[in-house]
Amino acid sequence: MLSFFEPLRYLTLEALIIRFLLALLCGGLIGFQRGIRKHPAGLRTYALVSIGAASVMVVSQYLEVALGNIGDLSRMGAQVISGIGFLGAGTVIVTGKSQVKGLSTAAGLWASACMGLAIGAGYYEAGILMCALIFAVLVGLNKIDENFIKTEININIFVEFDERLEFGSIVKVLKANELGINEIADIIKENGRNRSMIISLSGKDDSIGSVKMELNELEGIIYAEQI
């Protein structure tokens, strides 16, 4: 018995429309999830990657049908898998503390390209299953990653202050942002009034921006910045 997708495995106009729309839908769904979480690549990027990969497989199949056996059908698809690296590399950044970010986005783009290849080849079942699994990994496993797997980061904050500052107010801000003090070093008298120190902290990455803002608002703080 023919499967539901069997008539769409051939290069008909209906099959082309279904392949590109399905690639758009699956890639866009994954990209939408990344976009609402403010990642570098969002809906348009993922959709374009998926559609582009699907088109490569469609063209490969067309060349086979139109020109006969001219070589390995998978050759163009292989170039997509390796070539998507340039786009993925653009989403990976290294922060000032040598912390790598964007790996999941790059991996998602690569997986979306593979998904697009499957859809473009007419293997609809694999493409839909890949879309569901990629989406589940990015949404479901992200909660596990944040709550149980991700380790704390270590940062250093430089603070310059005058005699009005009460050090207890710094500790209060750090505790409120769930940051722990590992070490306080380089306490230097710069002149008769101002002093500076480097505070080594550990905690979650999403606390850094708010803690710097709160420290700079404290009475007596002249300057507070991550180094």
Side-chain angles (χ1 to χ4, degrees):
M1 183 177 178
L2 295 178
S3 70
F4 172 79
F5 293 110
E6 198 64 31
L8 300 175
R9 300 196 195 279
Y10 304 97
L11 289 182
T12 63
L13 178 60
E14 293 80 5
L16 288 176
I17 294 174
I18 292 297
R19 292 184 192 190
F20 286 128
L21 287 180
L22 187 58
L24 170 64
L25 177 63
C26 292
L29 178 64
I30 297 169
F32 177 75
Q33 188 277 332
R34 305 306 284 167
I36 61 176
R37 292 185 62 83
K38 310 301 182 184
H39 288 278
L43 187 151
R44 290 179 298 175
T45 303
Y46 275 86
L48 288 172
V49 166
S50 183
I51 293 173
S55 70
V56 167
M57 290 307 296
V58 168
V59 171
S60 296
Q61 289 185 333
Y62 173 78
L63 292 176
E64 172 71 13
V65 172
L67 303 179
N69 188 5
I70 59 173
D72 186 2
L73 278 176
S74 65
R75 182 176 299 174
M76 293 181 67
Q79 299 307 309
V80 172
I81 295 175
S82 59
I84 194 65
F86 88 93
L87 187 60
T91 68
V92 178
I93 62 172
V94 181
T95 67
K97 297 303 296 178
S98 298
Q99 295 159 356
V100 180
K101 295 184 177 181
L103 288 177
S104 61
T105 298
L109 287 171
W110 182 83
S112 292
C114 296
M115 177 186 67
L117 291 175
I119 295 172
Y123 197 0
Y124 304 103
E125 298 92 334
I128 295 173
L129 180 59
M130 287 180 66
C131 176
L133 290 176
I134 294 171
F135 190 83
V137 167
L138 293 176
V139 176
L141 296 188
N142 183 67
K143 299 297 183 181
I144 298 176
D145 194 30
E146 288 182 346
N147 295 329
F148 301 105
I149 298 177
K150 283 187 178 179
T151 57
E152 291 186 334
I153 63 167
N154 295 310
I155 63 167
N156 292 322
I157 289 184
F158 174 84
V159 180
E160 183 180 350
F161 57 96
D162 59 30
E163 70 277 0
R164 294 175 299 163
L165 177 73
E166 296 183 3
F167 188 75
S169 58
I170 293 182
V171 175
K172 184 177 180 180
V173 169
L174 297 179
K175 287 187 175 180
N177 287 274
E178 299 181 348
L179 291 170
I181 300 176
N182 298 329
E183 183 181 1
I184 300 176
D186 296 335
I187 302 179
I188 307 167
K189 282 191 176 182
E190 297 187 345
N191 52 44
R193 296 177 303 168
N194 298 343
R195 301 173 65 184
S196 62
M197 66 175 64
I198 297 175
I199 307 175
S200 177
L201 304 171
S202 61
K204 294 183 178 180
D205 188 31
D206 55 5
S207 301
I208 305 306
S210 60
V211 76
K212 288 191 298 182
M213 183 182 301
E214 292 179 32
L215 285 176
N216 279 298
E217 291 176 351
L218 290 178
E219 182 180 5
I221 291 288
I222 299 172
Y223 179 76
E225 185 58 70
Q226 180 182 354
I227 59 173

